[in-house]
Amino acid sequence: MRSMRGKYKLTEFGFDYSGLKAYAGHLLEKDRLLKSSSGGAASHIAEQFIKKGGVVLGVGYADDFKSAEYYCVTTVDGLEKLKGSKYIPARKMIHVDGEYRSVYKVAEEYLADGKSVLYIGLGCDVGALRRYCEVNTVRDENLFTIELICVGTTLQEAHSMYIQETEARYHANIRKLNVRYKKEGWLPYIRIEFDDQRVFEAPFNESDLGIAFNILCRKSCSQCAYKGSSHVGDIAVGDYFRLGHDDDIYDENGVSILIEKTEKGRQLIESIAPDEFLLKEMDIRKALLENHRYYECSVDDIETGPILENLRTNGLRYAIEKYYAHLIPDSVKHGTKKKVVMWGTGNFFRRYYPLVDLLCDVNTVCDNNEANWGKVFQENILCISPEELCSKENVFVVIMIENRQAREMVEKQLETLGIYSFDYVLNWIKYASREMFD
């Protein structure tokens, strides 16, 4: 394999990346790939590590799913507990023999016994362990680390509130939670399985938890000390979302980016089994251009004080509704109250329906596709024909179509049908408010 190390020096990324190597890859077995968050790199490396007698320390959900904590894994089957993204900070504690102990102390004891330890966590998690080893003069020649490339974590209380509200809404306990469920390829869905066998699925970014992830990130994440040259893991692993679909390593079900920094990182890369995991070395500059989270922090541009106050007083869903209402000016109002009907059932509908639902009560969507008439979308949205739409009085149509040409055709069709109250969803949300449609 041709080496790409040392080809570039410090340029637009703000740090010298000439000592790094980049790879892209994914599991070859489809069923295993679908169960992973991205390409399955961290899980595969952890599996190879355990097969050689090592111990893995990684993060999984607590039994009630309201928090995350560290687990010590010594078997391949035990790695199931660690799979999947968590998006919340993990307690640095491990439950051992009926009591919680510091994950750093557990790592130290394994290292003192001569065991090889693989520690998987966010940059700040790995940095804290490195600092612990330094302060306590822990011999770390057998310590290997994987950093998960991070965009920031949701506030713990928002996540906990989401679990609480969801269980109350369904009157059932959660038995399985996956915030990176691959229902439609790599697009992340949230999937919740309840103890009464019911299942909830939705695009993650459209769920209350996904919205909380975007607006209630930890403030410290906007000033992360572990970006660019400050990464302290042996390798960093994350999603390679911006990989070109025409690249021969691309897979619609997920691809991992792996950035090797140290000699131990090279050893972890070399442990990958080629008959189980497809791996390709990438140009490091191209890989960084397409993975800016390796060197850029999340942006802190949201005033979270009022959101948190509403969260703590009235819950997460209320806080989200009030947040969106705050974004929408009250100065523009329709004089008459109308019944909202959406138009279009494609990807744009699935993406923006949750926001429309937050702003008004809506239970109908119109579509020209006869095959969709009578079907129910998003659990309670009935699809009707244009003819049925004409029979309704006092309606306002929100067009849920992204393509401009297709949208203009629908606008002309609505005018032909005698309906003149309509707008494109991204325009409509700028002035809509719940009071307009109560």
Side-chain angles (χ1 to χ4, degrees):
M1 183 181 291
R2 181 175 67 87
S3 174
M4 297 182 183
R5 188 189 297 274
K7 189 176 180 181
Y8 299 104
K9 291 291 184 181
L10 175 66
T11 57
E12 68 268 40
F13 306 122
F15 70 101
D16 187 344
Y17 54 89
S18 61
L20 304 178
K21 294 183 73 172
Y23 302 85
H26 60 81
L27 289 163
L28 290 169
E29 186 178 328
K30 183 176 180 179
D31 288 344
R32 295 182 64 198
L33 178 59
L34 288 172
K35 292 178 181 178
S36 66
S37 292
S38 54
S43 295
H44 178 76
I45 292 172
E47 183 176 323
Q48 303 308 307
F49 198 85
I50 285 177
K51 287 179 178 179
K52 294 180 180 178
V55 174
V56 175
L57 302 177
V59 176
Y61 284 118
D63 291 340
D64 63 1
F65 298 98
K66 292 182 179 179
S67 60
E69 58 193 43
Y70 269 83
Y71 289 86
C72 178
V73 179
T74 57
T75 65
V76 171
D77 289 343
L79 290 173
E80 287 296 320
K81 184 72 174 177
L82 310 184
K83 289 184 178 179
S85 300
K86 313 306 182 297
Y87 295 149
I88 50 175
R91 294 179 62 201
K92 309 307 184 287
M93 305 292 287
I94 291 183
H95 196 255
V96 180
D97 298 330
E99 64 177 358
Y100 278 98
R101 302 182 59 207
S102 163
V103 65
Y104 309 131
K105 188 66 177 177
V106 172
E108 178 183 5
E109 291 174 356
Y110 273 116
L111 292 169
D113 289 341
K115 277 281 191 179
S116 292
V117 174
L118 175 61
Y119 187 89
I120 305 174
L122 305 181
C124 50
D125 297 335
V126 176
L129 176 60
R130 292 287 192 196
R131 179 60 177 164
Y132 176 91
C133 291
E134 179 183 343
V135 170
N136 294 279
T137 60
V138 177
R139 295 187 61 181
D140 62 357
E141 59 267 22
N142 291 328
L143 174 64
F144 296 76
T145 56
I146 296 179
E147 274 188 63
L148 303 176
I149 298 175
C150 179
V151 299
T153 59
T154 315
L155 290 180
Q156 171 61 51
E157 58 186 310
H159 175 93
S160 179
M161 182 63 71
Y162 175 78
I163 298 300
Q164 179 180 322
E165 290 182 352
T166 301
E167 291 185 332
R169 189 177 304 126
Y170 279 80
H171 302 287
N173 294 320
I174 295 173
R175 70 178 185 86
K176 189 175 291 186
L177 171 65
N178 186 349
V179 298
R180 292 291 302 274
Y181 177 60
K182 294 177 178 177
K183 181 178 181 178
E184 299 179 357
W186 207 348
L187 176 70
Y189 269 66
I190 183 171
R191 177 182 171 90
I192 300 175
E193 298 179 23
F194 297 92
D195 58 6
D196 61 3
Q197 308 306 312
R198 284 182 294 170
V199 174
F200 168 78
E201 293 178 358
F204 176 72
N205 288 330
E206 298 172 8
S207 69
D208 285 356
L209 187 59
I211 295 171
F213 175 67
N214 287 316
I215 67 176
L216 287 173
C217 182
R218 286 193 303 180
K219 292 290 185 182
S220 58
C221 295
S222 65
Q223 300 177 19
C224 180
Y226 300 97
K227 295 290 185 180
S229 61
S230 298
H231 283 275
V232 292
D234 296 310
I235 59 173
V237 174
D239 289 281
Y240 206 152
F241 280 127
R242 295 180 64 188
L243 181 68
H245 291 200
D246 57 346
D247 196 295
D248 57 5
I249 198 72
Y250 179 81
D251 191 295
E252 65 179 0
N253 294 312
V255 181
S256 296
I257 177 73
L258 303 89
I259 298 180
E260 170 195 318
K261 184 172 183 177
T262 69
E263 170 59 25
K264 288 181 181 177
R266 183 187 64 79
Q267 294 176 38
L268 293 175
I269 295 292
E270 290 182 348
S271 73
I272 291 175
D275 59 335
E276 298 179 23
F277 193 95
L278 185 63
L279 187 70
K280 174 185 177 181
E281 186 173 359
M282 307 295 289
D283 178 273
I284 182 59
R285 181 177 180 276
K286 180 177 184 293
L288 290 175
L289 279 170
E290 296 172 339
N291 291 274
H292 63 98
R293 289 303 183 190
Y294 185 81
Y295 50 90
E296 289 183 357
C297 299
S298 59
V299 177
D300 179 20
D301 58 357
I302 297 176
E303 174 52 54
T304 58
I307 306 174
L308 288 173
E309 182 178 350
N310 285 321
L311 169 71
R312 292 161 181 163
T313 305
N314 296 293
L316 178 61
R317 169 154 279 273
Y318 178 86
I320 290 173
E321 289 188 5
K322 294 295 287 185
Y323 169 72
Y324 278 116
H326 170 72
L327 293 181
I328 300 164
D330 292 327
S331 56
V332 183
K333 301 282 186 177
H334 286 297
T336 57
K337 301 185 185 301
K338 295 179 177 291
K339 180 68 176 178
V340 170
V341 176
M342 297 174 289
W343 187 299
T345 58
N347 289 332
F348 220 55
F349 162 76
R350 291 193 292 272
R351 187 185 308 172
Y352 285 100
Y353 156 71
L355 182 53
V356 175
D357 187 49
L358 284 174
L359 296 171
C360 66
D361 294 322
V362 58
N363 54 26
T364 310
V365 63
C366 185
D367 199 90
N368 279 321
N369 187 347
E370 185 176 350
N372 287 334
W373 299 346
K375 286 186 177 180
V376 175
F377 292 83
Q378 301 291 337
E379 297 187 346
N380 65 341
I381 305 299
L382 176 66
C383 184
I384 63 173
S385 67
E387 183 179 0
E388 289 179 90
L389 178 63
C390 287
S391 68
K392 294 183 177 294
E393 297 182 355
N394 203 31
V395 298
F396 185 91
V397 178
V398 178
I399 302 173
M400 313 290 281
I401 299 172
E402 183 176 21
N403 182 273
R404 181 175 180 178
Q405 185 176 7
R407 192 164 67 241
E408 290 175 349
M409 291 177 64
V410 170
E411 291 172 353
K412 291 179 181 178
Q413 183 179 355
L414 285 168
E415 291 175 350
T416 301
L417 295 172
I419 299 173
Y420 299 95
S421 295
F422 57 80
D423 204 349
Y424 173 44
V425 62
L426 295 186
N427 291 333
W428 176 79
I429 61 176
K430 294 177 183 178
Y431 61 77
S433 69
R434 183 172 286 275
E435 290 78 8
M436 290 161 45
F437 305 98
D438 284 346

